Amino acid sequence: MSLLVVGSVAFDSVKTPFGEVDEVLGGSATYFATAASYFTDVAIVAVVGDDFPEEHLTFLKSRKINTAGIERKEGKTFRWKGEYGYELNEARTLDTQLNVFQSFRPKLPESYKSRRVVFLANIDPDLQREVLSQVKEPALVACDTMNFWIGGKRDSLIETLKLVDILLINDGEARELSKEPNLVKAAEKILSFGPKALVIKRGEYGALMFQKGKIFSAPAYPLESVFDPTGAGDSFAGGFMGYLTSTMNFEESNIRKAIIFGSVMASYNVESFSLDRIKALDYSEIESRFREFKALTHFEDLS
Ligand code: AMP
């Protein structure tokens, strides 16, 4: 029962209609691992620069996240700058600085190679494959990506998708990847690239899962206050994969439950900037929101 993630560990600068933050802790692997840590033991593969404060690593360790695979290199940490308008569903990227990720050649610590569940978080698809090729016997491989890589490294991304069981992306990314505006047709095309399941995250409209001939729809939690959607996708993936790893049951009914755990973690994450809300959750809060999700969509069958 062990989960491995490769992705970015970053400094994010984010502006939303409700405030802004500068160079706070972020990154796809950071959000993912923090959310997943409520369910299972998780290990990160990433690189940071010599400007990365020790206190951030101390925080990850305090969540029992294995950081042995976070390399520290001379240079600057990955930086991302984005903003959101009142339509909070899609970030507008203002700046991406790969910095130390540009020359990163991951070499997995020995203890990482036997991990059974792998999440290839949003990062260069070449790196995603480089990490996956070092894992001996993965039982489940899932993946995320974004427009930066769909537009910039499409061929490499398609190679990664051949090796993936579950792809989790948002609706805009699904349309861009498939070059198809209709989501049902987009899903069909993406499944033909390799993944057996596709989870499309739709922000405040919930999530859809497509498997060959089957669709599952989950709502989003109707929140009163959304401050910062950054990391919603990654914390969704962290809850989703964390729960699957803790059960090692990949049947459809359990994947449906995992989608709700993912939705719960994403809903907590957007309530504040950076990792502030998901840093210190109580597992009972996760369970109680899971039950609220169940109540939200429960209705009686026809008699
Ligand atoms: P999301 O969960 O989709 O909101 O992802 C937000 C996180 O993705 C931020 O914390 C960023 O640091 C990170 N990010 C943004 N662009 C990239 C990129 N091109 N590669 C890797 N990570 C990125």
Side-chain angles (χ1 to χ4, degrees), residues 108-214:
L108 261 53
E110 218 37 57
S111 67
Y112 278 32
K113 294 182 181 169
S114 53
R115 300 229 157 201
R116 301 300 314 280
V117 182
V118 182
F119 187 65
L120 309 172
N122 178 24
I123 198 66
D124 187 331
D126 290 344
L127 279 181
Q128 292 179 320
R129 285 199 308 288
E130 234 172 286
V131 167
L132 184 58
S133 68
Q134 295 174 56
V135 180
K136 287 182 196 141
E137 235 184 305
L140 182 75
V141 180
C143 172
D144 185 10
T145 191
M146 73 181 290
N147 50 10
F148 189 84
W149 307 112
I150 298 172
K153 283 220 169 176
R154 190 183 175 82
D155 292 346
S156 172
L157 178 61
I158 300 284
E159 281 308 304
T160 295
L161 293 182
K162 289 180 186 162
L163 311 170
V164 160
D165 298 302
I166 306 177
L167 175 66
L168 297 104
I169 47 179
N170 68 33
D171 44 358
E173 291 155 357
R175 292 188 172 101
E176 189 176 344
L177 176 61
S178 61
K179 300 184 175 157
E180 169 59 63
N182 177 284
L183 275 190
V184 178
K185 289 186 187 155
E188 207 175 298
K189 180 135 182 227
I190 292 169
L191 291 178
S192 79
F193 295 156
K196 295 185 223 18
L198 168 68
V199 177
I200 299 185
K201 299 161 289 176
R202 301 167 65 228
E204 64 177 316
Y205 307 113
L208 291 169
M209 175 172 63
F210 294 87
Q211 288 168 305
K212 209 171 182 309
K214 282 187 266 186

Side-chain angles (χ1 to χ4, degrees), residues 8 10 12 26-28 31 78 80 122-123 146 148-149 229-234:
S8 54
D12 288 348
S28 55
Y31 279 106
F78 178 98
W80 178 76
N122 178 24
I123 198 66
M146 73 181 290
F148 189 84
W149 307 112
T230 310
D234 304 307

